[in-house]
């Protein structure tokens, strides 16, 4: 399928008919893109896969475009553009620290993504450190700790159970040495908020540190490192309406300063000299630059800072209120379809962000997602969402049951070990979620209007 900007399309923000108590959606890039339907005609694309990658805020795109002609090397040039770019890069670090409400002395390290940030942290933990992580985590939080002792905790069914489970595990660790807890702020599968502040208190009470995976949290809620009392926080620009290839690891400096650089090379080194024996001595930076070797992605970093400013200026109170309005619409609509089962750890009343996963009786989830796209112009995600243990637990499957993220293992119409995820945020208009709810109802009651087949691991319309 092709996609193109509509020459005469009306801005979705202009026709927004949201509840008057809620603010209008923020302008995002691509809000007027139209896509063809397999049944004929075109429709404005409904991007409802924010949990994978959120569209760029128009403000972010405009800021990047305004800076692009002035692009220059960072920390390496005497010319005007290099000096300007260096200032932009370092000022972006300040902006991110303010957005996260970091403590004095905390470092903000720019990375490629949340995954990169947590892999960096995994490389700097002290020898003998034991890592505690719930099986409910995204693979970015679940997998980087392969060189350490790792204790995987079973999925809790209440926030209080999460805290109690962690407390028991930390108290029982043997030997009672350094420990690190890794936990999400909001699930990328269920959208449910985790009791981060309480988990941080439990970790510190037992002599452990904690890192917060805020990939799904920071785009939806204000984040305060100080208030939550976490030691580090990691997130990605591409989920924060700044999809230009950068991420952040922010927090305590000591482990970062005491370790070898994540990458060795220019920028991380402060001084390099030959020794008399022919070798090389290296003095590494003790600032964030220690783990930022190579030419930095100044455009990606600036885009994150721009997004932080845009969200702060828009006001998280109004953004959260609007998102709750959309969540209520989607959940109420799905509740009216008996064949739909929404996946949840903590129950219907748990606070959450705009991430909802579900399965439909009698449907292969990949088939259902394909029909949403081809027949309604709606983009969602299907699969195991890079959180295989959690989705398997929620679906009640055996760990050995076949199933793969994003690849249907069954023919269209047959049950499969995967789910459908709809996700939205600051740029989502009411019409998109209204169309989604209507599409779910029509597909369940009337069936798909088109035939589908599996091709290269994806369910696609049969032409």
């Amino acid at each position: 399928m092709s996609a193109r900007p509509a020459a005469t399309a009306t801005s979705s923000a202009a026709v927004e008919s949201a509840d008057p108590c809620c603010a209008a959606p923020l302008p995002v890039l691509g809000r007027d893109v139209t896509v063809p339907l397999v049944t004929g005609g075109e429709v404005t694309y409904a991007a409802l896969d924010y949990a994978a990658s959120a569209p760029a805020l128009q403000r972010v795109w405009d800021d990047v475009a305004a800076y692009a002609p002035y692009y220059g090397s960072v920390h390496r040039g005497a010319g005007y553009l290099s000096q300007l770019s260096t200032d932009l890069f370092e000022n972006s670090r300040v902006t991110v620290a303010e957005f996260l409400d970091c403590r004095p002395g905390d470092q903000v390290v720019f990375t490629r993504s949340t995954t990169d940030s947590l892999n960096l942290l995994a490389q700097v933990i002290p020898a003998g450190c034991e890592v505690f992580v719930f099986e409910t985590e995204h693979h970015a939080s679940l997998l980087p700790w392969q060189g350490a002792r790792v204790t995987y905790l079973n999925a809790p069914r209440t926030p209080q159970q999460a805290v109690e489970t962690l407390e028991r595990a930390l108290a029982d660790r043997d030997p009672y040495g350094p420990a690190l807890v890794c936990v999400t702020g909001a699930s990328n599968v269920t959208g449910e908020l985790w009791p981060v502040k309480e988990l941080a208190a439990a970790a510190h009470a037992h002599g452990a540190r904690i890192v917060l995976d805020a990939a799904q949290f920071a785009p939806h809620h204000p984040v305060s490192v100080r208030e939550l009392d976490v030691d580090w926080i990691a997130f990605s620009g591409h989920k924060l309406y700044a999809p230009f290839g950068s991420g952040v690891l922010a927090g305590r400096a000591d482990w970062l300063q005491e370790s070898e650089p994540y990458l060795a090379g220019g920028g991380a080194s402060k001084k390099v000299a030959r020794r008399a024996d022919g070798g090389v001595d290296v003095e590494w930076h003790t600032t964030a630059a220690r783990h930022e070797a190579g030419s930095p992605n100044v455009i990606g970093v600036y885009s994150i800072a721009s997004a932080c400013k845009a969200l702060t200026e828009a006001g998280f109170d109004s953004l959260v209120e609007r998102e709750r309005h959309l969540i209520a619409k989607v959940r109420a609509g799905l509740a009216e379809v008996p064949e739909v089962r929404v996946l949840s750890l903590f129950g219907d009343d748990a606070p959450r962000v705009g991430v909802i996963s579900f399965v439909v009786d009698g449907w292969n989830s990949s088939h259902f997602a394909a029909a949403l796209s081809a027949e309604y112009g709606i983009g969602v995600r299907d699969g195991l969402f890079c959180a295989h243990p959690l989705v398997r637990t929620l679906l009640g499957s055996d760990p050995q049951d076949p199933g793969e993220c994003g690849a249907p293992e069954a023919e269209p119409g047959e049950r499969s070990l995967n789910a459908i995820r709809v996700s939205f945020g600051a740029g989502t208009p009411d019409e998109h979620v209204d169309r989604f709810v209507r599409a779910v109802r029509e597909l369940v009651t009337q069936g798909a209007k088109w035939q589908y087949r599996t091709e290269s691991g994806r369910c696609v319309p049969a032409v």
Side-chain angles (χ1 to χ4, degrees), residues 74-341:
V74 174
H75 298 148
R76 289 165 173 79
Y80 179 81
L81 297 191
S82 291
Q83 294 296 307
L84 185 150
S85 295
T86 298
D87 287 345
L88 193 75
F89 184 81
E90 292 302 333
N91 287 334
S92 295
R93 202 187 304 275
V94 174
T95 297
V96 172
E98 292 173 348
F99 179 76
L100 298 174
D101 190 25
C102 288
R103 300 162 292 245
D106 281 349
Q107 288 189 348
V108 174
V109 181
F110 290 116
T111 65
R112 294 174 295 179
S113 61
T114 307
T115 301
D116 197 35
S117 296
L118 294 173
N119 273 271
L120 188 168
L121 188 60
Q123 295 300 310
V124 307
I125 60 177
C129 182
E130 185 173 359
V131 178
F132 295 82
V133 57
F134 287 93
E135 68 170 354
T136 49
E137 294 294 318
H138 186 281
H139 294 172
S141 300
L142 199 68
L143 302 180
W145 323 102
Q146 298 304 307
R149 287 183 60 205
V150 185
T151 296
Y152 295 103
L153 307 175
N154 292 335
R157 286 299 180 170
T158 66
Q160 181 60 33
Q161 188 180 54
V163 176
E164 294 170 353
T165 298
L166 178 63
E167 286 180 329
R168 284 195 300 271
L170 290 172
D172 293 344
R173 70 185 189 272
D174 185 20
Y176 197 88
L180 175 69
V181 178
C182 182
V183 67
T184 187
S187 170
N188 77 301
V189 176
T190 69
E192 293 162 315
L193 299 181
W194 277 62
V196 176
K197 188 172 183 178
E198 292 80 2
L199 290 168
H204 295 151
H206 291 278
R209 297 191 179 190
I210 185 168
V211 56
L212 170 63
D213 173 358
Q216 301 294 344
F217 187 68
H220 302 273
H221 280 266
V223 180
S224 171
V225 168
R226 279 191 260 208
E227 183 178 337
L228 294 173
D229 198 22
V230 294
D231 298 283
W232 293 277
I233 183 171
F235 70 89
S236 294
H238 74 99
K239 299 186 194 297
L240 196 79
Y241 311 100
F244 294 90
S246 284
V248 169
L249 176 67
R252 301 198 181 279
D254 53 353
W255 286 8
L256 296 169
Q257 292 173 339
E258 294 163 5
S259 69
E260 291 297 305
Y262 181 46
L263 297 174
S269 56
K270 186 176 182 180
K271 179 182 177 181
V272 181
R274 291 292 300 276
R275 297 195 303 264
D277 64 3
V280 173
D281 283 327
V282 183
E283 179 183 353
W284 303 106
H285 280 294
T286 57
T287 63
R290 185 184 189 91
H291 298 288
E292 294 175 345
S295 296
N297 178 6
V298 61
I299 287 179
V301 165
Y302 179 48
S303 72
I304 289 179
S306 174
C308 290
K309 288 181 179 179
L311 293 173
T312 300
E313 291 169 8
F316 269 107
D317 286 347
S318 62
L319 294 176
V320 169
E321 180 185 27
R322 171 163 179 76
E323 188 167 309
R324 286 173 179 162
H325 161 76
L326 297 177
I327 292 170
K329 271 196 168 191
V330 173
R331 288 181 61 83
L334 293 179
E336 293 177 354
V337 184
E339 293 83 357
V340 169
R341 178 167 71 92

Side-chain angles (χ1 to χ4, degrees), residues 49 364-370 380-385 404-408 416 418-421 457-459:
D49 195 14
N364 174 307
S365 293
S366 294
H367 181 200
F368 200 91
V380 298
R381 173 91 179 263
D382 65 278
L384 301 179
F385 317 127
E404 185 177 345
C405 189
S416 58
N418 54 10
I420 306 146
R421 183 181 71 190
R458 298 297 311 169
C459 197

Side-chain angles (χ1 to χ4, degrees), residues 360-419:
V360 183
D361 290 346
W363 281 82
N364 174 307
S365 293
S366 294
H367 181 200
F368 200 91
L372 286 173
S373 174
E375 300 179 25
Y376 296 91
I378 298 170
V380 298
R381 173 91 179 263
D382 65 278
L384 301 179
F385 317 127
C386 296
H388 294 193
L390 171 56
V391 178
R392 290 176 181 276
T393 294
L394 294 173
L395 294 179
S397 75
D398 185 274
Q400 302 306 315
D401 284 349
E404 185 177 345
C405 189
E409 297 285 340
E411 292 300 316
E414 295 180 14
R415 184 184 182 278
S416 58
L417 181 59
N418 54 10

